[in-house]
Amino acid sequence: MIRVKSPSRIHMGLIDMNAELGRVDGGVGISIDHPHVMISAEIADDIEIIGHSLLAQRMKAAARVLLPEGQGVRVTIEEDMPPHVGCGSGTQAALSVAAAVNRLYGLGLSVREMAIAVERGGTSGIGVASFEKGGFIVDGGHKFADKGSFSPSSASKTPPGPVLFREDFPDWEIVLALPGEDMHIGAHDAQEVDIFRKECPIPLHEVQAVAHIVLMKMMPAIVEKDIEGFGQATNRLQTLGFKQREIRLQHQAVRDLIELLQDSGAYGAGMSSFGPVVYAFTDNPEDAAYLKADAQAFLDNTIGGKVIITRANNTGASILEE
């Protein structure tokens, strides 16, 4: 039996949705411990997914692509995460099953090869890199000539972009607010495609500002473990580029929650991917508890949901044979 536990990720933003230089996408993100996907898998006669999960169909599709002809796998979902909220559940679900099949049948595939097979990472490479090694990640996107359009990963068959920078994320507290089940989930599928088509290309001056912040503020702050500088960069990214447009499309309560956390003592706060998940950073467990309480009270009085405290994952997925 193979057991796979994969991290989730905070997607802090896409870098270049202008493409004037000939490249597009590029992303910044952090691999985190919770929420996560955990599965166990064993060889079987057919493809069987055990456990109620909205990710089951994605897992079955990944297994079908990787399995040798005539072979099967029985996958038991032990823990999962909600889809389309900004944590990268689709990539983690698909890669978890792919990794289990890869190990069970000795296919010898790399994480990148598995990602290409299950068609993940076509816009952002953060989820794939999180599965592989975890940490704080900056990826370099794609040649626009290869991709041919501004589009989300769900509509792109382009391989994951190259990882330009990967560093262990410091041991800071991460407050993660997951709005309730009745809350409108983040954009996905056809809706997501439509947003990319309407909003892009992003004005060049905004793209240049995002790239400047990532290269000369955020990356040095990670290397120097400067949470103040990292938080300032995080807050600024919410006001620029594609991220600004992602936030603008959200429920007012999500926008208000970001501001609440920024004003309540967090060094930085923002929204992951198309949301509605909101995150905040601090370096003190006591401050994290206060931020969690403030965010939970806000959700209880507005749209509902749950707030957790987590940390970065600096190792990637664990794949164990039992």
Side-chain angles (χ1 to χ4, degrees):
M1 178 180 289
I2 303 296
R3 177 168 276 109
V4 182
K5 178 182 176 182
S6 76
S8 54
R9 58 95 176 110
I10 291 170
H11 195 285
M12 303 185 76
L14 291 166
I15 297 172
D16 189 341
M17 301 308 292
N18 174 274
E20 185 172 306
L21 289 180
R23 294 191 73 85
V24 67
D25 305 324
V28 185
I30 306 160
S31 180
I32 56 175
D33 275 334
H34 296 280
H36 56 247
V37 171
M38 184 183 293
I39 64 166
S40 57
E42 55 191 344
I43 291 174
D45 295 330
D46 204 348
I47 300 175
E48 183 180 2
I49 309 294
I50 301 171
H52 175 68
S53 171
L54 295 174
L55 301 174
Q57 286 304 117
R58 195 177 295 276
M59 292 182 178
K60 183 173 285 189
R64 189 175 293 116
V65 168
L66 268 293
L67 279 166
E69 187 175 354
Q71 301 299 320
V73 65
R74 181 180 299 108
V75 175
T76 300
I77 302 170
E78 300 180 3
E79 295 183 53
D80 73 348
M81 59 175 113
H84 308 308
V85 298
C87 290
S89 61
T91 295
Q92 302 311 315
L95 286 178
S96 292
V97 171
V101 171
N102 185 50
R103 184 70 65 89
L104 285 169
Y105 285 96
L107 303 181
L109 299 174
S110 67
V111 171
R112 179 178 174 82
E113 289 169 334
M114 290 188 289
I116 292 170
V118 300
E119 298 182 353
R120 303 305 301 176
T123 294
S124 168
I126 303 301
V128 175
S130 289
F131 188 92
E132 185 171 20
K133 291 184 179 179
F136 173 83
I137 303 148
V138 179
D139 83 81
H142 308 92
K143 291 181 180 178
F144 194 69
D146 291 341
K147 188 172 181 180
S149 67
F150 298 102
S151 58
S153 293
S154 60
S156 172
K157 298 186 186 302
T158 313
V163 173
L164 304 181
F165 180 84
R166 186 265 167 213
E167 188 84 6
D168 280 1
F169 192 79
D171 193 25
W172 297 335
E173 309 279 345
I174 302 171
V175 179
L176 203 67
L178 298 98
E181 293 181 6
D182 293 334
M183 175 66 189
H184 179 67
I185 60 178
H188 60 98
D189 299 331
Q191 181 190 12
E192 194 176 20
V193 172
D194 187 55
I195 292 168
F196 273 78
R197 186 174 64 247
K198 288 180 178 178
E199 299 291 347
C200 298
I202 301 296
L204 183 61
H205 71 274
E206 291 190 53
V207 167
Q208 290 171 334
V210 170
H212 190 189
I213 290 165
V214 171
L215 179 63
M216 293 304 295
K217 187 79 170 179
M218 188 165 272
M219 289 165 59
I222 290 293
V223 173
E224 296 175 351
K225 297 180 172 55
D226 170 16
I227 192 170
E228 185 173 347
F230 187 80
Q232 290 169 353
T234 299
N235 290 341
R236 185 73 177 109
L237 285 184
Q238 310 312 304
T239 69
L240 290 167
F242 198 70
K243 177 57 63 182
Q244 179 191 43
R245 287 143 179 91
E246 290 173 330
I247 292 173
R248 190 175 63 208
L249 294 167
Q250 285 296 313
H251 190 288
Q252 183 63 46
V254 174
R255 301 198 293 269
D256 290 344
L257 179 56
I258 295 170
E259 290 186 15
L260 172 71
L261 289 167
Q262 290 174 344
D263 294 340
S264 295
Y267 282 98
M271 186 182 77
S272 179
S273 191
F274 267 103
V277 163
V278 172
Y279 61 86
F281 304 110
T282 184
D283 58 356
N284 183 295
E286 187 174 298
D287 291 342
Y290 285 127
L291 289 169
K292 177 185 176 183
D294 284 350
Q296 189 65 64
F298 177 86
L299 291 180
D300 290 345
N301 290 323
T302 53
I303 53 178
K306 180 182 180 182
V307 184
I308 64 172
I309 298 173
T310 186
R311 300 258 177 136
N313 174 304
N314 287 318
T315 57
S318 64
I319 306 169
L320 303 174
E321 194 164 344
E322 299 180 354

